[in-house]
Amino acid sequence: MKAIAVFPKEKRVALIDYPEPKIGSPTQVKLKILEVGICGTDREICEFKYGTPPDDSDFLILGHESFGQVVEVGRKVTDFKIGDFVVVMVRRPCAHPYCAPCQANRQDFCVTGDFKERGINGLHGFMTEYVVDDQKYMLRVSPDLQDIGVLTEPLTIAEKGVREICCIQKRLPWGCNHNALVIGAGPIGLLATLVLVIQKFETYIYSLESETNLRAKIADAIGATYLSAKNYDLKKIIKKIAGNIDVIFDGTGASQLAFEMLSILGNNGIFVWTGIPGNKDAININAGYMMRDMVLKNQNLVGTVNAGYEDFKSAIQNLNVLSAKLNKFAEPIIQRYEPSQYAQVLLNPVSDIFKRTICFAKS
Ligand code: BGC
Ligand code: ZN
């Protein structure tokens, strides 16, 4: 079967032929992959800056934003039947008995660093025609959401980030659901915007694209106020929001910008980082002022990665809301490519569409 793989030693990305996987234990499920989304992580792996092949392999099959359909089930599979639409979780627990999170099926909080991630770290991913995995890592998506099912995994990142916010802000029992500012209108930024709007935040999203860009229109359809960096600087943002900025959610990983934005976070505010900096150069910050503000304003700074089963469940629930908000769009929000177009899609970042995917089959 076809698979898209990266060979880090040879610095090569290729469409390869790979043996079709077989069900090897009674609780496993076999999926026909329909499509796989592409994100910044995949592009970094293709630039050989990130990603690790399985121990016994010199290549890594890419892809962690899965969407597939069940074609075969092991004899002890209780949760799925042939024809079901499914997404597969990305991270697998480490084997250490003393890793409490992994023992509790919360490998997204693994403390040893020995977890594995399909398509990223030590395990082959989903950019291939068939995939086998245990039913416990799979969740069902309803057939009427099959058009956007592939957005589930990036949505889980937003779900976990907002769950962290709500959880930490329980320290403020009078509630904090007022203003939120999202940085970056990429998929994570826009999906975080969706979750924040659902949680009743008055949500603003700040990004580089102009107000006529498709991403700005998506922000608008989701119910947020789009602030283009072409027209807004920090002062104008503060004036526009006109109130305490309770939450800032970063989806860019742009370190300079994130620290600048920290200066406008309000009292009792929380700043969430989900973006991983591409540029790892040192930046100049005034740590003294930063610490002073964070202390005097009771602020929190939180990093979050990956997502748990609960986050996948909420993401799947919120796909309904996303679908309702986006169905009036004339322009397609997902651009779909053939596996043979992998080089073009994986190597060129774009800023005028929402998500690009590689399609392996139709349902
Ligand atoms: C994925 C996460 C993963 C992270 C770090 C992200 O692109 O969505 O599931 O944990 O990369 O590898
Ligand atoms: Zn990703």
Side-chain angles (χ1 to χ4, degrees):
M1 65 175 184
K2 276 185 247 154
I4 298 166
V6 44
F7 294 74
K9 278 197 203 120
E10 298 166 41
K11 299 224 177 315
R12 184 163 73 93
V13 184
L15 186 60
I16 62 167
D17 195 40
Y18 189 74
E20 202 174 302
K22 291 191 182 76
I23 289 192
S25 95
T27 53
Q28 284 184 334
V29 175
K30 180 168 174 178
L31 301 180
K32 168 175 83 171
I33 290 294
L34 300 175
E35 59 180 326
V36 182
I38 291 164
C39 79
T41 302
D42 301 301
R43 275 191 293 272
E44 281 222 326
I45 299 173
C46 290
E47 290 165 4
F48 319 104
K49 293 178 182 158
Y50 196 62
T52 318
D55 286 341
D56 56 353
S57 169
D58 55 358
F59 60 87
L60 169 74
I61 298 179
L62 282 165
H64 59 276
E65 302 186 0
S66 62
F67 189 61
Q69 199 170 17
V70 177
V71 289
E72 195 186 330
V73 292
R75 78 193 142 72
K76 286 200 181 144
V77 168
T78 45
D79 304 349
F80 298 95
K81 56 178 192 326
I82 291 171
D84 281 351
F85 293 96
V86 161
V87 295
V88 194
M89 295 176 72
V90 179
R91 197 177 273 197
R92 300 293 170 269
C94 75
H96 306 291
Y98 56 84
C99 182
C102 284
Q103 295 291 315
N105 299 316
R106 286 309 303 264
Q107 47 271 20
D108 56 316
F109 284 107
C110 175
V111 290
T112 68
D114 290 336
F115 60 81
K116 293 189 171 163
E117 289 180 336
R118 290 203 65 166
I120 302 177
N121 200 328
L123 293 173
H124 286 314
F126 308 121
M127 271 188 208
T128 180
E129 290 175 76
Y130 294 94
V131 156
V132 166
D133 214 324
D134 197 274
Q135 63 172 354
K136 73 174 173 206
Y137 300 121
M138 296 188 180
L139 293 96
R140 192 173 16 254
V141 173
S142 120
D144 46 298
L145 293 168
Q146 57 179 291
D147 209 41
I148 56 168
V150 71
L151 299 179
T152 305
E153 197 278 341
L155 181 52
T156 65
I157 305 296
E159 296 285 352
K160 180 175 171 187
V162 176
R163 196 185 299 282
E164 298 277 290
I165 294 170
C166 296
C167 183
I168 295 167
Q169 296 305 65
K170 291 227 166 81
R171 67 191 179 132
L172 312 172
W174 49 90
C176 82
N177 292 11
H178 303 301
N179 297 314
L181 172 63
V182 175
I183 312 174
I188 298 296
L190 286 167
L191 293 170
T193 301
L194 172 82
V195 183
L196 288 162
V197 168
I198 293 172
Q199 293 294 330
K200 308 260 185 305
F201 281 92
E202 182 73 39
T203 308
Y204 298 80
I205 175 166
Y206 171 84
S207 196
L208 291 175
E209 298 82 9
S210 72
E211 269 132 20
T212 53
N213 188 287
L214 175 69
R215 293 181 175 188
K217 292 188 215 162
I218 294 176
D220 189 58
I222 288 174
T225 305
Y226 185 80
L227 311 175
S228 166
K230 298 196 189 327
N231 305 321
Y232 282 88
D233 57 13
L234 290 197
K235 270 200 192 126
K236 285 189 180 155
I237 294 176
I238 299 174
K239 207 165 152 207
K240 176 81 179 177
I241 298 182
N244 198 55
I245 302 181
D246 303 298
V247 167
I248 305 184
F249 191 112
D250 177 63
T252 67
S255 50
Q256 180 80 46
L257 180 63
F259 278 94
E260 278 166 21
M261 288 287 180
L262 188 54
S263 71
I264 65 168
L265 181 66
N267 283 294
N268 308 333
I270 177 165
F271 201 135
V272 181
W273 288 351
T274 66
I276 300 167
N279 182 352
K280 292 167 185 84
D281 294 343
I283 55 163
N284 238 330
I285 54 163
N286 189 324
Y289 267 109
M290 207 185 96
M291 282 180 74
R292 173 186 177 276
D293 260 23
M294 291 197 71
V295 171
L296 294 179
K297 295 182 179 169
N298 292 300
Q299 291 171 337
N300 257 275
L301 181 54
V302 186
T304 169
V305 69
N306 201 254
Y309 196 81
E310 286 305 303
D311 305 310
F312 273 80
K313 278 211 314 216
S314 356
I316 287 170
Q317 268 165 22
N318 286 335
L319 281 181
N320 271 309
V321 186
L322 182 65
S323 162
K325 289 192 188 271
L326 294 184
N327 69 10
K328 67 165 192 195
F329 262 82
E331 299 122 292
I333 59 155
I334 298 178
Q335 271 182 16
R336 298 180 155 102
Y337 294 81
E338 297 287 317
S340 61
Q341 295 172 293
Y342 70 92
Q344 180 190 343
V345 203
L346 281 162
L347 306 174
N348 302 328
V350 282
S351 66
D352 55 349
I353 50 170
F354 184 63
K355 184 52 88 181
R356 304 204 284 188
T357 72
I358 296 185
C359 293
F360 285 86
K362 294 214 155 51
S363 66

